[in-house]
mmCIF file with all atom_site columns, all heavy atoms in Angstrom:
data_model
loop_
_atom_site.group_PDB
_atom_site.id
_atom_site.type_symbol
_atom_site.label_atom_id
_atom_site.label_alt_id
_atom_site.label_comp_id
_atom_site.label_asym_id
_atom_site.label_entity_id
_atom_site.label_seq_id
_atom_site.pdbx_PDB_ins_code
_atom_site.Cartn_x
_atom_site.Cartn_y
_atom_site.Cartn_z
_atom_site.occupancy
_atom_site.B_iso_or_equiv
_atom_site.pdbx_formal_charge
_atom_site.auth_seq_id
_atom_site.auth_comp_id
_atom_site.auth_asym_id
_atom_site.auth_atom_id
_atom_site.pdbx_PDB_model_num
ATOM 1   N N   . THR A 1 254 ? 135.123 113.797 115.767 1.00 0.00 ? 283 THR A N   1
ATOM 2   C CA  . THR A 1 254 ? 136.440 114.002 115.151 1.00 0.00 ? 283 THR A CA  1
ATOM 3   C C   . THR A 1 254 ? 136.353 114.918 113.918 1.00 0.00 ? 283 THR A C   1
ATOM 4   O O   . THR A 1 254 ? 137.348 115.124 113.230 1.00 0.00 ? 283 THR A O   1
ATOM 5   C CB  . THR A 1 254 ? 137.070 112.652 114.731 1.00 0.00 ? 283 THR A CB  1
ATOM 6   O OG1 . THR A 1 254 ? 136.148 111.981 113.863 1.00 0.00 ? 283 THR A OG1 1
ATOM 7   C CG2 . THR A 1 254 ? 137.365 111.769 115.934 1.00 0.00 ? 283 THR A CG2 1
ATOM 8   N N   . ARG A 1 255 ? 135.153 115.410 113.662 1.00 0.00 ? 284 ARG A N   1
ATOM 9   C CA  . ARG A 1 255 ? 134.917 116.332 112.525 1.00 0.00 ? 284 ARG A CA  1
ATOM 10  C C   . ARG A 1 255 ? 135.462 115.745 111.223 1.00 0.00 ? 284 ARG A C   1
ATOM 11  O O   . ARG A 1 255 ? 136.213 116.397 110.479 1.00 0.00 ? 284 ARG A O   1
ATOM 12  C CB  . ARG A 1 255 ? 135.548 117.698 112.796 1.00 0.00 ? 284 ARG A CB  1
ATOM 13  C CG  . ARG A 1 255 ? 135.064 118.293 114.098 1.00 0.00 ? 284 ARG A CG  1
ATOM 14  C CD  . ARG A 1 255 ? 135.760 119.599 114.413 1.00 0.00 ? 284 ARG A CD  1
ATOM 15  N NE  . ARG A 1 255 ? 135.516 119.973 115.793 1.00 0.00 ? 284 ARG A NE  1
ATOM 16  C CZ  . ARG A 1 255 ? 136.036 121.052 116.372 1.00 0.00 ? 284 ARG A CZ  1
ATOM 17  N NH1 . ARG A 1 255 ? 136.810 121.862 115.684 1.00 0.00 ? 284 ARG A NH1 1
ATOM 18  N NH2 . ARG A 1 255 ? 135.778 121.320 117.637 1.00 0.00 ? 284 ARG A NH2 1
ATOM 19  N N   . SER A 1 256 ? 135.106 114.507 110.988 1.00 0.00 ? 285 SER A N   1
ATOM 20  C CA  . SER A 1 256 ? 135.620 113.818 109.796 1.00 0.00 ? 285 SER A CA  1
ATOM 21  C C   . SER A 1 256 ? 135.069 114.460 108.520 1.00 0.00 ? 285 SER A C   1
ATOM 22  O O   . SER A 1 256 ? 134.086 115.219 108.568 1.00 0.00 ? 285 SER A O   1
ATOM 23  C CB  . SER A 1 256 ? 135.213 112.341 109.832 1.00 0.00 ? 285 SER A CB  1
ATOM 24  O OG  . SER A 1 256 ? 133.827 112.228 109.560 1.00 0.00 ? 285 SER A OG  1
ATOM 25  N N   . ASP A 1 257 ? 135.688 114.096 107.398 1.00 0.00 ? 286 ASP A N   1
ATOM 26  C CA  . ASP A 1 257 ? 135.243 114.655 106.112 1.00 0.00 ? 286 ASP A CA  1
ATOM 27  C C   . ASP A 1 257 ? 133.758 114.383 105.867 1.00 0.00 ? 286 ASP A C   1
ATOM 28  O O   . ASP A 1 257 ? 133.026 115.261 105.429 1.00 0.00 ? 286 ASP A O   1
ATOM 29  C CB  . ASP A 1 257 ? 136.044 114.026 104.960 1.00 0.00 ? 286 ASP A CB  1
ATOM 30  C CG  . ASP A 1 257 ? 137.409 114.659 104.837 1.00 0.00 ? 286 ASP A CG  1
ATOM 31  O OD1 . ASP A 1 257 ? 137.648 115.687 105.514 1.00 0.00 ? 286 ASP A OD1 1
ATOM 32  O OD2 . ASP A 1 257 ? 138.246 114.117 104.087 1.00 0.00 ? 286 ASP A OD2 1
ATOM 33  N N   . ILE A 1 258 ? 133.341 113.138 106.161 1.00 0.00 ? 287 ILE A N   1
ATOM 34  C CA  . ILE A 1 258 ? 131.929 112.839 105.839 1.00 0.00 ? 287 ILE A CA  1
ATOM 35  C C   . ILE A 1 258 ? 130.978 113.506 106.846 1.00 0.00 ? 287 ILE A C   1
ATOM 36  O O   . ILE A 1 258 ? 129.839 113.817 106.504 1.00 0.00 ? 287 ILE A O   1
ATOM 37  C CB  . ILE A 1 258 ? 131.632 111.335 105.635 1.00 0.00 ? 287 ILE A CB  1
ATOM 38  C CG1 . ILE A 1 258 ? 132.031 110.479 106.817 1.00 0.00 ? 287 ILE A CG1 1
ATOM 39  C CG2 . ILE A 1 258 ? 132.226 110.830 104.344 1.00 0.00 ? 287 ILE A CG2 1
ATOM 40  C CD1 . ILE A 1 258 ? 131.534 109.024 106.691 1.00 0.00 ? 287 ILE A CD1 1
ATOM 41  N N   . ALA A 1 259 ? 131.447 113.754 108.059 1.00 0.00 ? 288 ALA A N   1
ATOM 42  C CA  . ALA A 1 259 ? 130.604 114.504 109.007 1.00 0.00 ? 288 ALA A CA  1
ATOM 43  C C   . ALA A 1 259 ? 130.400 115.925 108.483 1.00 0.00 ? 288 ALA A C   1
ATOM 44  O O   . ALA A 1 259 ? 129.303 116.483 108.562 1.00 0.00 ? 288 ALA A O   1
ATOM 45  C CB  . ALA A 1 259 ? 131.244 114.528 110.385 1.00 0.00 ? 288 ALA A CB  1
ATOM 46  N N   . MET A 1 260 ? 131.481 116.475 107.913 1.00 0.00 ? 289 MET A N   1
ATOM 47  C CA  . MET A 1 260 ? 131.374 117.822 107.326 1.00 0.00 ? 289 MET A CA  1
ATOM 48  C C   . MET A 1 260 ? 130.450 117.789 106.110 1.00 0.00 ? 289 MET A C   1
ATOM 49  O O   . MET A 1 260 ? 129.591 118.640 105.936 1.00 0.00 ? 289 MET A O   1
ATOM 50  C CB  . MET A 1 260 ? 132.774 118.330 106.897 1.00 0.00 ? 289 MET A CB  1
ATOM 51  C CG  . MET A 1 260 ? 133.692 118.649 108.044 1.00 0.00 ? 289 MET A CG  1
ATOM 52  S SD  . MET A 1 260 ? 133.006 119.972 109.052 1.00 0.00 ? 289 MET A SD  1
ATOM 53  C CE  . MET A 1 260 ? 133.095 119.251 110.671 1.00 0.00 ? 289 MET A CE  1
ATOM 54  N N   . LEU A 1 261 ? 130.661 116.760 105.282 1.00 0.00 ? 290 LEU A N   1
ATOM 55  C CA  . LEU A 1 261 ? 129.863 116.659 104.052 1.00 0.00 ? 290 LEU A CA  1
ATOM 56  C C   . LEU A 1 261 ? 128.370 116.546 104.356 1.00 0.00 ? 290 LEU A C   1
ATOM 57  O O   . LEU A 1 261 ? 127.538 117.160 103.690 1.00 0.00 ? 290 LEU A O   1
ATOM 58  C CB  . LEU A 1 261 ? 130.344 115.445 103.236 1.00 0.00 ? 290 LEU A CB  1
ATOM 59  C CG  . LEU A 1 261 ? 129.681 115.204 101.894 1.00 0.00 ? 290 LEU A CG  1
ATOM 60  C CD1 . LEU A 1 261 ? 129.930 116.369 100.931 1.00 0.00 ? 290 LEU A CD1 1
ATOM 61  C CD2 . LEU A 1 261 ? 130.215 113.912 101.259 1.00 0.00 ? 290 LEU A CD2 1
ATOM 62  N N   . TYR A 1 262 ? 128.031 115.737 105.358 1.00 0.00 ? 291 TYR A N   1
ATOM 63  C CA  . TYR A 1 262 ? 126.609 115.496 105.635 1.00 0.00 ? 291 TYR A CA  1
ATOM 64  C C   . TYR A 1 262 ? 126.097 116.254 106.865 1.00 0.00 ? 291 TYR A C   1
ATOM 65  O O   . TYR A 1 262 ? 125.051 115.902 107.421 1.00 0.00 ? 291 TYR A O   1
ATOM 66  C CB  . TYR A 1 262 ? 126.349 113.976 105.748 1.00 0.00 ? 291 TYR A CB  1
ATOM 67  C CG  . TYR A 1 262 ? 126.671 113.259 104.452 1.00 0.00 ? 291 TYR A CG  1
ATOM 68  C CD1 . TYR A 1 262 ? 127.723 112.349 104.378 1.00 0.00 ? 291 TYR A CD1 1
ATOM 69  C CD2 . TYR A 1 262 ? 125.941 113.522 103.291 1.00 0.00 ? 291 TYR A CD2 1
ATOM 70  C CE1 . TYR A 1 262 ? 128.036 111.713 103.184 1.00 0.00 ? 291 TYR A CE1 1
ATOM 71  C CE2 . TYR A 1 262 ? 126.244 112.893 102.090 1.00 0.00 ? 291 TYR A CE2 1
ATOM 72  C CZ  . TYR A 1 262 ? 127.294 111.992 102.044 1.00 0.00 ? 291 TYR A CZ  1
ATOM 73  O OH  . TYR A 1 262 ? 127.599 111.375 100.861 1.00 0.00 ? 291 TYR A OH  1
ATOM 74  N N   . ASN A 1 263 ? 126.837 117.263 107.288 1.00 0.00 ? 292 ASN A N   1
ATOM 75  C CA  . ASN A 1 263 ? 126.374 118.148 108.368 1.00 0.00 ? 292 ASN A CA  1
ATOM 76  C C   . ASN A 1 263 ? 125.945 117.406 109.634 1.00 0.00 ? 292 ASN A C   1
ATOM 77  O O   . ASN A 1 263 ? 124.904 117.721 110.219 1.00 0.00 ? 292 ASN A O   1
ATOM 78  C CB  . ASN A 1 263 ? 125.226 119.040 107.860 1.00 0.00 ? 292 ASN A CB  1
ATOM 79  C CG  . ASN A 1 263 ? 125.688 119.903 106.712 1.00 0.00 ? 292 ASN A CG  1
ATOM 80  O OD1 . ASN A 1 263 ? 126.795 120.461 106.752 1.00 0.00 ? 292 ASN A OD1 1
ATOM 81  N ND2 . ASN A 1 263 ? 124.896 119.988 105.664 1.00 0.00 ? 292 ASN A ND2 1
ATOM 82  N N   . ASP A 1 264 ? 126.724 116.380 109.970 1.00 0.00 ? 293 ASP A N   1
ATOM 83  C CA  . ASP A 1 264 ? 126.523 115.597 111.209 1.00 0.00 ? 293 ASP A CA  1
ATOM 84  C C   . ASP A 1 264 ? 125.238 114.759 111.220 1.00 0.00 ? 293 ASP A C   1
ATOM 85  O O   . ASP A 1 264 ? 124.871 114.220 112.257 1.00 0.00 ? 293 ASP A O   1
ATOM 86  C CB  . ASP A 1 264 ? 126.529 116.512 112.461 1.00 0.00 ? 293 ASP A CB  1
ATOM 87  C CG  . ASP A 1 264 ? 127.842 117.255 112.610 1.00 0.00 ? 293 ASP A CG  1
ATOM 88  O OD1 . ASP A 1 264 ? 128.840 116.859 111.963 1.00 0.00 ? 293 ASP A OD1 1
ATOM 89  O OD2 . ASP A 1 264 ? 127.876 118.236 113.382 1.00 0.00 ? 293 ASP A OD2 1
ATOM 90  N N   . ARG A 1 265 ? 124.541 114.698 110.099 1.00 0.00 ? 294 ARG A N   1
ATOM 91  C CA  . ARG A 1 265 ? 123.265 113.957 110.102 1.00 0.00 ? 294 ARG A CA  1
ATOM 92  C C   . ARG A 1 265 ? 123.408 112.641 109.351 1.00 0.00 ? 294 ARG A C   1
ATOM 93  O O   . ARG A 1 265 ? 123.837 112.636 108.189 1.00 0.00 ? 294 ARG A O   1
ATOM 94  C CB  . ARG A 1 265 ? 122.180 114.785 109.420 1.00 0.00 ? 294 ARG A CB  1
ATOM 95  C CG  . ARG A 1 265 ? 122.012 116.095 110.125 1.00 0.00 ? 294 ARG A CG  1
ATOM 96  C CD  . ARG A 1 265 ? 120.599 116.591 110.012 1.00 0.00 ? 294 ARG A CD  1
ATOM 97  N NE  . ARG A 1 265 ? 120.510 117.847 110.744 1.00 0.00 ? 294 ARG A NE  1
ATOM 98  C CZ  . ARG A 1 265 ? 119.839 118.898 110.338 1.00 0.00 ? 294 ARG A CZ  1
ATOM 99  N NH1 . ARG A 1 265 ? 119.149 118.839 109.232 1.00 0.00 ? 294 ARG A NH1 1
ATOM 100 N NH2 . ARG A 1 265 ? 119.802 119.994 111.057 1.00 0.00 ? 294 ARG A NH2 1
ATOM 101 N N   . ALA A 1 266 ? 123.021 111.550 110.023 1.00 0.00 ? 295 ALA A N   1
ATOM 102 C CA  . ALA A 1 266 ? 123.092 110.215 109.406 1.00 0.00 ? 295 ALA A CA  1
ATOM 103 C C   . ALA A 1 266 ? 124.371 110.101 108.572 1.00 0.00 ? 295 ALA A C   1
ATOM 104 O O   . ALA A 1 266 ? 124.327 109.719 107.392 1.00 0.00 ? 295 ALA A O   1
ATOM 105 C CB  . ALA A 1 266 ? 121.847 109.940 108.574 1.00 0.00 ? 295 ALA A CB  1
ATOM 106 N N   . VAL A 1 267 ? 125.471 110.424 109.199 1.00 0.00 ? 296 VAL A N   1
ATOM 107 C CA  . VAL A 1 267 ? 126.726 110.611 108.460 1.00 0.00 ? 296 VAL A CA  1
ATOM 108 C C   . VAL A 1 267 ? 127.094 109.369 107.647 1.00 0.00 ? 296 VAL A C   1
ATOM 109 O O   . VAL A 1 267 ? 127.282 109.421 106.427 1.00 0.00 ? 296 VAL A O   1
ATOM 110 C CB  . VAL A 1 267 ? 127.861 110.984 109.441 1.00 0.00 ? 296 VAL A CB  1
ATOM 111 C CG1 . VAL A 1 267 ? 129.202 111.031 108.721 1.00 0.00 ? 296 VAL A CG1 1
ATOM 112 C CG2 . VAL A 1 267 ? 127.568 112.323 110.104 1.00 0.00 ? 296 VAL A CG2 1
#
Side-chain angles (χ1 to χ4, degrees):
T283 56
R284 305 176 194 178
S285 73
D286 281 350
I287 56 171
M289 290 298 129
L290 183 63
Y291 298 114
N292 299 318
D293 300 344
R294 301 210 179 140
V296 174

